[in-house]
Amino acid sequence: MKAIEIKNLTKYYGKSRGIVDLNLSVEEGDFFGFIGPNGAGKSTTIRTLLGLITPTSGSAKILDMDCGRSKTQILKQVGYMPSEAFYYDNMRVKDVIKMAANLHGKDCRKEASGLCERLELDTNKKIEQLSLGNRKKVSIVCALQHAPRVCILDEPTSGLDPLMQQEFFKILQERNREGATIFLSSHVLQEIQKYCHSAGIIREGTLIRCGSVEELSHSNAGRVTYTTEKGTESFLHRGPVSDLLEQLRGLEEAGIVLQNLTIAEPTLDEIVMHYYEKEGGDKPSKTTGEAEK
Amino acid sequence: MMSVYLHELKQNGKLLTIWTAVVAGMNFIIMFIYPQMAGQTEEVMNIYANLGAFSDAFGINRLSLGSALGFYGVEGGAMISIGGGMLAGLLGSGILCKEEGKHTAEFLMTMPVRREKVALQKLAAVCTLVVLFNLVCGAAGVGAFAVIEETLDGELFLKYHIAQLVMQLEIGCICFGISAFLRKVSMGVGIGVALIFYFLQMFVNISEDMEWLKYITPYYYSDASYILAGYDMELGIMIWGVLLGIVATAVGTWWFGRKDLMG
C-alpha cells in the first residue's frame, strides 16, 4: 500500500503560488526525505496532507484514505512534528504530552516516558521556560508516543544539538524498522543522504526529481577537480564520461597541461544545489553531457 | 472525550478569576452605599429627574434609586452587564482564532478530533465560564442584600440575572462566530462588540425612532430598568436574541470546519 499518494495537487493562496500540479507517492515503510528551498512548497504539501488546508485542485491520500474526507481517521494513524513547535506557554510539558495522548484517545504514558528519558526532556518545566530545542523534543514525543503508522516531520532537527539529532534519528530508524513510514522535510541534505531511503526534490511548487537516495546521489554526475599551472579548477560534470574526456582533451589541445585530476562523487548537497540553481526547472535527463562550474 | 473543553476551562481560569473578583466584588461593595443614600433619595431623585435624556439612557426614569433593588439595578447592574458582556465578548472572540494567532493550530488541529467538535467544545467552555461568572455575581448580590439587611424580591432578582446570563451568552456566541473569521486574537473585537451593543441600548432608551435597534442589541431584553421595575420581560425578543446567537454559532462552526488554518 502507498503510505502517501499525491496526485496533481495544486494550492494557491489567493493569487500566490503554493504548489502546482504536484505528484508524489511514498511506499509504506519508506524513509522519505522531502528536499526544497524556503518557499518551495514543502510546508504547503505537508499542511494539505494533514488537512490543515484544502487544496485548490488535485487529491492527496494517506494510507489510501482521502486527506479531506477521512481527515480524522488519517490523523489517528499520523504523528506530526511541525517545523516550529508552539504550545500553550503556561502549560507544563507533561500536561501537553498528556493532552496529545488524550486527544488520540490512548494511554501513551509508558511510551511517552521512554521517549522523554531518551531525549532528556524535563517534563515538569513549563513550555515558556523551554528553548527551541526542548520544544522540539516535546513535539517529538507528541508525534511519536501513540505509535503512528506514518510520521510526518517538518524540518525536525532544527534546534536540536548534534547528539540529540543522532538519538532522534535512532528513534526514527527503530520506528521505521517496526514498519512505520517516515516522511521528513529538511534543508540538511547530509541527514537525508545518511538516513533516508528515498527522496524528492521540490522547487517552485513542483516536484522536480524523485527516487531512491542512491539513485539521486549517483545521478551520473561527478565533481571534477583539476590542477594546471594557473591553479585549481573544479566543476560538476553530469553525463557520459566520454563527454568529460573530450572536454579535457580540448584543454590539452589549447596548450593547458593538466598536472592533477580527480573525479569525486558529488554530495547530495551539490546535486540539489544544482537543481535549485537551474532556471526553468530542467530535469537532469535533459542536461546530459553538460558540464558546469 | 472532553479534552479541549477542560483545556479551555483551565486556560481561561485566570482571566475568569480576576474578572469575576473585580465585577462581583464591586457589585457587593457598592450596595453598602445604599443605606447611606437611602436617606437622601428624594434629593437625588430630583437631580436625576432633571437630567432628561441622560436619565432616559440609563433607565433611571423607570427604576427608582430609592429602593434597594432599583439601586442594585442601576449601580451594580451596570457593572455586571458591561463587565459580563465584555468578558463574554473577550472569551468568545479569541476562542477559535487564538490557535492560529499563537501558532498552536498545528498542534491541536492535527489531532484526530473533528474541527466542529473542537469548536463546540470551545464554545461549551465559553458558556461554562460565563455561567460561573454570573453565579458568583448573583451570589455577591444576594450576599450584599443580606449584609445590609434589605429584603430581596427573589423573583425579580432571578429574572434579572437570568436575562443577564442570556444576554452574555448571546454576546459570547456572536463573538465566537466572529472568531472563526479572524486569524489572531484581538481584544478590541470582544470589548467592542459588547460596548456597541450597550450603546445601541442607550439609543433605544433615548429615541423612539431607534426602537428597532432592540432587535439587535441583547442589552434591550436584559435591561435592569425594565426587569427590576417589574415590567413584563420581552420574551419574544429574548428568543430572537437566542436565535441570533445560534445562527452565529452555526456559521462560525461551519466556517471553522472548512477554513485554511495557517498558524
Side-chain angles (χ1 to χ4, degrees), chain B residues 44-58:
Chain B
V44 174
M45 285 308 288
N46 284 338
I47 296 170
Y48 278 129
N50 293 327
L51 289 176
F54 182 79
S55 55
D56 292 349
F58 289 99

Side-chain angles (χ1 to χ4, degrees), chain A residues 78-92:
Chain A
V78 169
Y80 170 54
M81 211 181 140
S83 61
E84 291 172 64
F86 285 103
Y87 298 99
Y88 307 98
D89 282 347
N90 55 352
M91 280 175 81
R92 292 191 189 281

Side-chain angles (χ1 to χ4, degrees), chain A residues 11 51-52 54 80 88 102, chain B residues 1 99 106 115 260-262:
Chain A
K11 175 68 184 175
L52 286 168
T54 313
Y80 170 54
Y88 307 98
N102 287 344
Chain B
M1 209 168 67
E99 304 295 345
E106 284 197 306
R115 282 197 199 175
D260 281 353
L261 292 172
M262 307 309 288

Side-chain angles (χ1 to χ4, degrees), chain A residues 122-163:
Chain A
D122 181 354
T123 57
N124 285 314
K125 279 199 169 164
K126 284 199 168 183
I127 295 294
E128 61 197 355
Q129 297 173 303
L130 300 183
S131 63
L132 170 65
N134 279 318
R135 277 192 281 127
K136 280 279 191 183
K137 292 180 190 175
V138 178
S139 73
I140 296 171
V141 179
C142 290
L144 300 181
Q145 62 173 346
H146 56 284
R149 277 172 75 188
V150 179
C151 301
I152 298 178
L153 317 160
D154 197 359
E155 291 174 28
T157 49
S158 61
L160 290 180
D161 67 55
L163 278 178

